[in-house]
Amino acid sequence: MSKLAVKICLGTTCFVMGGSELQELPEKLPASYKKLVSISGCPCLGQCGAAATRAPYVLIGDELLSEASIEKILKKITEKLNHAQ
């Protein structure tokens, strides 16, 4: 199984809207997930113009998460990892 890719938007809007705290995600990731998940930052996910959603944005696999928080990200990672098994 390949690693689940988690991309955190580091664009200005996302950073200001709470994305700065998302950089702590690697430290909050349960030890059992560390070999299953890869976390990286990206300059922009290009979602700032989407009227129905709000920053910060995180791409988890192929699913976009808006109004992301560490708790929401961990919940979505757990769902995806459980679904993959």
Side-chain angles (χ1 to χ4, degrees):
M1 181 173 106
S2 62
K3 286 188 174 190
L4 176 63
V6 177
K7 294 183 180 181
I8 300 170
C9 183
L10 300 176
T12 303
T13 301
C14 285
F15 192 84
V16 170
M17 296 292 289
S20 58
E21 79 171 36
L22 301 181
Q23 294 181 64
E24 297 173 17
L25 182 61
E27 290 81 42
K28 306 287 185 181
L29 199 64
S32 60
Y33 289 5
K34 294 197 186 276
K35 291 185 179 180
L36 304 173
V37 176
S38 70
I39 300 170
S40 62
C42 65
C44 183
L45 289 174
Q47 298 299 314
C48 291
T53 60
R54 291 186 36 160
Y57 296 98
V58 175
L59 190 62
I60 303 172
D62 59 357
E63 188 172 342
L64 184 70
L65 187 63
S66 63
E67 297 183 69
S69 66
I70 288 176
E71 295 78 24
K72 284 175 74 172
I73 296 167
L74 290 174
K75 181 179 178 186
K76 184 57 69 177
I77 288 171
T78 299
E79 287 174 14
K80 289 197 169 283
L81 291 177
N82 288 338
H83 186 265
Q85 295 178 356

